[in-house]
Amino acid sequence: MSIEKKIAVLSTGANGSCIAADLTLAGLNVSMIDQWADHIESMRKDELRIITDEDEYKVGVKAYHISDICSLNQKFDIVFLTSKAYDSRWLTEFIKPYLDDNGILVAVQNCMTAEMIGEIVGLDRTLGCVVELASQLFEPGQVKRSTPKDRTWFGLGAFDEAHQHRVVEITEVLKFAGNVEVIPDIISAKWMKLIVNSMTMAIKAILGMTNEQVFYSNGKDYAARVRDLFLRSGEEALAAGQLVGHKVVPIFGLKPGDVENTNNLLETLLDKIVNDVGPTAINTVLQDHMKGRYSEIDMINGLVSTESKKHGKNTPVTDIIVDLTHQIHSGDLKPNKQNLELINRRLLSPG
């Protein structure tokens, strides 16, 4: 990959900052663009600080306010969109004039945004991407990275075989930030990641817990009941994907034999993500609750509910999870381990 390629990481929250840091350290020409002014100013003043369990280091980065882009007078060859999924449309429209005619935009995000982005910039100028990377950002300019680079994983796929050369191009870049795998059915892979997120993120956020707190800090009975809830939520997400035609494909470096023709698919996905993310990571939805921000749950669990109901199938676990997430966002409920009892009571007394 030529260092002359102009790369932008757009909406550089926690994951975007980690990716931008890795690419910058690899000697690539990377611009970080974000709307959090304090984050940009902190990086300009004192570099970007990355904290891992084993290490802590600073990276000198090129950081720009989103309002700076109109005066940069340049177009980007590659844009990695790392925003919350609900900001995808406007950010894609925003950056489109600054994407080179032969440039490519890749959304490194949760949720099913890939096809929508393709409609805006053209299917020949985007790829689908699945990512496994856990990090958190509470203080401007300081990122805690829970998933080290050697356990970070990206799945890439084109929408058309004619665009396969773009996969090779982006693989050459993302390999500096983690392991990269080419996935033929990228939309199904995106839904597989959505199943994993549906299982774990909202529930842990409602309980206000990390993996360590769920599985080790509150006793075996509590851990078993939460695990059962994870799997019940996953069953609803898996069924919804099958209703709309998504296939079961391996993600996170798993092999076809790990996920095909097995009765333990959800258990395999759950155990894989828990192991890879680690015991102390604060997931993105819980971070949103802690910051009083809107989360992506309407585009994750909410999508499971919507697609299921289109086909006449109910999703009792998912509906409760979405409702409680809304209550937390409105301030009517606080994340708490006792919310497990609230969920179970509502499941026993629907309506």
Side-chain angles (χ1 to χ4, degrees):
M1 170 57 60
S2 170
I3 61 172
E4 297 306 314
K5 290 275 188 179
K6 296 182 178 65
I7 301 170
V9 183
L10 177 58
S11 192
T12 49
N15 280 0
S17 293
C18 291
I19 293 167
D22 287 338
L23 302 188
T24 299
L25 287 172
L28 302 184
N29 182 0
V30 181
S31 297
M32 299 177 67
I33 306 166
D34 198 69
Q35 60 262 48
W36 186 14
D38 289 346
H39 187 43
I40 296 298
E41 289 302 317
S42 177
M43 292 188 290
R44 285 177 169 179
K45 179 181 178 182
D46 198 31
E47 302 186 321
L48 170 59
R49 181 183 175 198
I50 305 291
I51 304 164
T52 71
D53 290 337
E54 297 82 22
D55 197 9
E56 179 177 327
Y57 54 94
K58 288 185 175 182
V59 184
V61 295
K62 294 191 295 183
Y64 298 100
H65 299 285
I66 202 165
S67 58
D68 293 334
I69 302 308
C70 60
S71 58
L72 284 183
N73 195 29
Q74 68 175 342
K75 290 195 173 186
F76 296 102
D77 301 292
I78 300 170
V79 174
F80 294 111
L81 176 61
T82 55
S83 69
K84 296 290 187 181
Y86 50 73
D87 283 330
S88 298
R89 184 175 294 278
W90 77 264
L91 282 170
T92 302
E93 294 283 8
F94 164 79
I95 204 65
K96 182 179 178 181
Y98 308 103
L99 184 66
D100 188 80
D101 291 344
N102 194 43
I104 187 162
L105 187 154
V106 181
V108 187
Q109 301 173 298
N110 294 316
C111 309
M112 306 300 288
T113 61
E115 292 174 299
M116 175 270 291
I117 288 169
E119 292 172 1
I120 296 173
V121 300
L123 292 178
D124 59 326
R125 295 207 295 168
T126 190
L127 300 174
C129 181
V130 185
V131 59
E132 183 185 25
L133 169 57
S135 57
Q136 57 200 52
L137 173 60
F138 288 96
E139 298 296 328
Q142 300 183 34
V143 177
K144 172 68 169 68
R145 182 170 182 165
S146 301
T147 309
K149 187 163 69 172
D150 62 357
R151 291 212 311 269
T152 297
W153 178 88
F154 302 95
L156 288 175
F159 300 105
D160 189 301
E161 186 64 30
H163 307 144
Q164 195 62 30
H165 65 287
R166 309 312 301 258
V167 177
V168 176
E169 178 184 355
I170 300 304
T171 296
E172 287 301 303
V173 176
L174 279 181
K175 70 181 183 182
F176 294 112
N179 303 297
V180 186
E181 184 177 348
V182 178
I183 301 189
D185 187 350
I186 192 62
I187 297 302
S188 289
K190 292 283 288 181
W191 192 274
M192 291 291 290
K193 175 65 186 301
L194 187 136
I195 292 171
V196 174
N197 289 342
S198 295
M199 275 198 287
T200 61
M201 289 207 305
I203 294 172
K204 285 191 291 186
I206 289 167
L207 302 178
M209 290 187 172
T210 62
N211 286 327
E212 183 175 59
Q213 292 166 325
V214 165
F215 293 111
Y216 302 108
S217 299
N218 292 279
K220 292 183 178 179
D221 178 67
Y222 188 92
R225 288 189 293 150
V226 177
R227 184 180 177 87
D228 178 68
L229 192 61
F230 286 160
L231 295 174
R232 291 178 66 180
S233 180
E235 288 170 0
E236 294 178 357
L238 175 61
Q242 292 171 334
L243 288 170
V244 298
H246 298 309
K247 298 178 177 62
V248 171
V249 299
I251 58 173
F252 302 158
L254 293 169
K255 304 303 180 185
D258 296 323
V259 300
E260 296 174 356
N261 302 316
T262 175
N263 294 324
N264 299 311
L265 171 63
L266 296 175
E267 289 88 343
T268 297
L269 293 172
L270 176 59
D271 292 341
K272 176 66 172 167
I273 194 67
V274 168
N275 179 72
D276 287 354
V277 168
T280 60
I282 300 174
N283 78 50
T284 183
V285 179
L286 181 52
Q287 289 183 55
D288 288 334
H289 290 339
M290 295 167 72
K291 298 171 185 177
R293 298 195 322 188
Y294 182 54
S295 76
E296 294 174 311
I297 290 306
D298 284 338
M299 297 182 70
I300 300 174
N301 302 76
L303 183 61
V304 170
S305 178
T306 299
E307 294 294 350
S308 298
K309 287 178 174 54
K310 285 180 183 177
H311 292 83
K313 189 174 182 64
N314 292 325
T315 52
V317 175
T318 298
D319 293 348
I320 292 170
I321 290 169
V322 171
D323 181 55
L324 295 183
T325 300
H326 290 168
Q327 289 187 43
I328 290 173
H329 180 59
S330 67
D332 296 326
L333 186 71
K334 298 293 185 183
N336 190 288
K337 71 176 186 178
Q338 301 302 329
N339 288 335
L340 178 62
E341 304 302 331
L342 176 60
I343 294 171
N344 286 331
R345 284 199 304 271
R346 289 185 56 172
L347 286 170
L348 291 171
S349 303

